[in-house]
Amino acid sequence: MQNDSYISTPPEATASSALAKLLSPIRQSRAFTYLWLGQWIAMLGSSVTMIILPIVIYNLTGSSTMMGLAMTIYMLPNVLILPVSGWIVDRTDRLRLIWLTNATRFLIMLTAAVLVFIDQLSLPVLYVGLALYGLMDGIFVPAYSALRAEIFTPDIRNAANALSQMSIQAVRLLGPAIGGLIVTFTSPGSGFALDSLTYLISLACFIGLGRFYVSSRKHTKQQTLTQDKMTKSSMMSDLLEGFRILKSHPWLWITIVIFSLLNICFQGIIAILVPWLFKIHYGFSPVVYGLAMAGTGVGAVLAALLFGSRSHWRHRGWLGYGGAILSGVALLLLSIVSWAPGLVLVMVLEGFGMMMFALIWETSLQELVPIESFGRVSSLDLLGSYALLPLGYLLVGWLADYRGGIWTIALFSIIGMLLLVAGLCTKGIRNFD
């Protein structure tokens, strides 16, 4: 007699179940669908611009230092607004802030496109645009994060985070390739124009979200109580509330401290030295650079598929930090590998590792932080991640010009991995489950 406990589930049934779990947020939440569409459409244009921008600056200057200055100019307003943007997000309508910032970014990219087409885009004008763009990002990201935490309810949270990240990374597969083709065969102005169009479509999606999101919030008792409480409190008390929440969770505050330093290392390499490596050091075409950056999207999609296939993960401290260390190993390999297909594969590895950390981090924030305080905590998280980046970008760019890009890539990837190992030595990280 056959024991039913040994009957295996057909692989196609397992795959179907995993796909159904992954797509469940679309079926269950109309608000999620509009939020999801609005974000990944905007990310399509941004991923094109992030490929075009370094190439434009290197064409104008040929200097890693100037590229570092450009990223610093973008990050500085972002960092300066973050201490208060979370307070703004928690005291105002989050959705209207998203409308405002998306509309402004649409106008910035449209202006850049027109200036390129009439051959009037200069480096100072580009820097002004980057500063305004960074300011808008400093408001948009905490607002979007808080809105996402509210809409990604516990019953769809893992699948919603995974599907959201998968779609964003999927468009990043397409975006870099499009950006490389645009620079190679047309004009950077076409890429800026595409970015402006995606922001316009994204704005329409977020306006559509308002039909579901606003109506559900107006009758929420908890939201009313929160607004009453916040009206009576001072701004300083509101700001300190974010610190109190972080302090109560070692996983949160230790990780923010570590990543404030880690981002100098890893983001400095990715934003400053990866474009230099492909364009200046090896002289590859923009298409090859685009494929390499698309490789990070491939790795990220694979990580999101894996993460979204389960509702619960154990030993998340080890898993998240292990993913980040894997990303560091990949960045170190950039200083060793010189074969173009090999470099693309290395970027796949980098994308996989960092996405695994990012998904664990995002779900942990949504679990541990109250909705009414999410904007402030999110802004503190971003402040910790970004505060040192302006200085870090300048340092990485200067050191690359002074000592050499390959040497700088190796140095900063090793320092980053040592920071992550130090984090794993603390109980608050190791025991996060």
Side-chain angles (χ1 to χ4, degrees), residues 170-251:
V171 299
R172 283 178 176 169
L173 297 178
L174 183 61
I178 293 175
L181 290 171
I182 287 174
V183 173
T184 302
F185 298 109
T186 62
S187 160
S190 300
F192 293 142
L194 175 61
D195 199 0
S196 68
L197 177 62
T198 59
Y199 275 122
L200 185 60
I201 298 172
S202 172
L203 178 59
C205 292
F206 285 124
I207 291 173
L209 170 62
R211 290 184 299 164
F212 303 96
Y213 169 70
V214 175
S215 61
S216 66
R217 286 183 66 195
K218 282 182 177 178
H219 302 94
T220 302
K221 181 179 179 181
Q222 180 61 45
Q223 182 67 25
T224 303
L225 293 173
T226 299
Q227 290 174 344
D228 291 343
K229 176 183 176 182
M230 293 179 69
T231 300
K232 298 175 183 177
S233 62
S234 67
M235 179 179 176
M236 184 57 66
S237 176
D238 286 346
L239 292 174
L240 291 176
E241 175 65 17
F243 285 101
R244 285 192 287 268
I245 292 171
L246 290 177
K247 185 179 178 182
S248 64
H249 300 287
W251 161 257

Side-chain angles (χ1 to χ4, degrees), residues 68 72 264-265 268 272 387-398 412:
T72 299
I264 294 177
C265 303
I272 308 299
L388 298 178
L389 275 183
L391 178 62
Y393 284 143
L394 287 175
L395 175 62
V396 170
W398 171 81
F412 279 92

Side-chain angles (χ1 to χ4, degrees), residues 69-361:
L69 177 62
M71 295 307 299
T72 299
I73 290 171
Y74 161 74
M75 285 304 310
L76 198 56
N78 195 323
V79 169
L80 292 177
I81 194 64
L82 280 174
V84 296
S85 63
W87 177 79
I88 295 171
V89 166
D90 285 339
R91 291 190 67 106
T92 59
D93 190 313
R94 295 162 177 175
L95 190 55
R96 291 185 182 275
L97 286 176
I98 288 178
W99 293 349
L100 171 66
T101 53
N102 251 26
T104 304
R105 292 187 294 181
F106 158 71
L107 293 174
I108 292 170
M109 300 314 301
L110 180 62
T111 302
V114 171
L115 290 176
V116 170
F117 286 137
I118 65 176
D119 199 24
Q120 295 296 316
L121 183 63
S122 63
L123 202 59
V125 172
L126 186 63
Y127 284 166
V128 171
L130 282 172
L132 183 56
Y133 194 94
L135 181 65
M136 291 300 101
D137 275 2
I139 299 172
F140 171 84
V141 176
Y144 173 74
S145 297
L147 194 62
R148 182 173 56 187
E150 190 170 351
I151 291 173
F152 290 11
T153 52
D155 56 318
I156 63 170
R157 181 166 291 152
N158 270 15
N161 278 306
L163 185 60
S164 179
Q165 289 297 335
M166 278 180 60
S167 58
I168 290 173
Q169 296 305 322
V171 299
R172 283 178 176 169
L173 297 178
L174 183 61
I178 293 175
L181 290 171
I182 287 174
V183 173
T184 302
F185 298 109
T186 62
S187 160
S190 300
F192 293 142
L194 175 61
D195 199 0
S196 68
L197 177 62
T198 59
Y199 275 122
L200 185 60
I201 298 172
S202 172
L203 178 59
C205 292
F206 285 124
I207 291 173
L209 170 62
R211 290 184 299 164
F212 303 96
Y213 169 70
V214 175
S215 61
S216 66
R217 286 183 66 195
K218 282 182 177 178
H219 302 94
T220 302
K221 181 179 179 181
Q222 180 61 45
Q223 182 67 25
T224 303
L225 293 173
T226 299
Q227 290 174 344
D228 291 343
K229 176 183 176 182
M230 293 179 69
T231 300
K232 298 175 183 177
S233 62
S234 67
M235 179 179 176
M236 184 57 66
S237 176
D238 286 346
L239 292 174
L240 291 176
E241 175 65 17
F243 285 101
R244 285 192 287 268
I245 292 171
L246 290 177
K247 185 179 178 182
S248 64
H249 300 287
W251 161 257
L252 296 181
W253 73 261
I254 293 173
T255 298
I256 288 175
V257 170
I258 288 175
F259 271 73
S260 68
L261 300 173
L262 181 74
N263 283 336
I264 294 177
C265 303
F266 286 7
Q267 291 303 314
I269 293 172
I270 293 170
I272 308 299
L273 296 181
V274 170
W276 167 86
L277 187 73
F278 281 82
K279 179 173 177 57
I280 305 297
H281 186 68
Y282 291 123
F284 294 138
S285 73
V287 173
V288 177
Y289 171 53
L291 288 174
M293 297 310 294
T296 64
V298 172
V301 167
L302 293 174
L305 277 171
L306 177 62
F307 184 83
S309 65
R310 296 176 58 179
S311 300
H312 303 284
W313 287 91
R314 299 294 308 276
H315 312 296
R316 287 186 292 173
W318 284 98
L319 192 61
Y321 272 63
I325 291 172
L326 181 64
S327 179
V329 171
L331 293 177
L332 179 60
L333 289 174
L334 290 177
S335 66
I336 301 170
V337 178
S338 59
W339 183 47
L343 290 170
V344 173
L345 291 175
V346 165
M347 296 307 293
V348 172
L349 189 67
E350 192 279 331
F352 180 91
M354 194 49 69
M355 180 52 64
M356 185 57 69
F357 169 81
L359 286 167
I360 289 172
W361 176 251

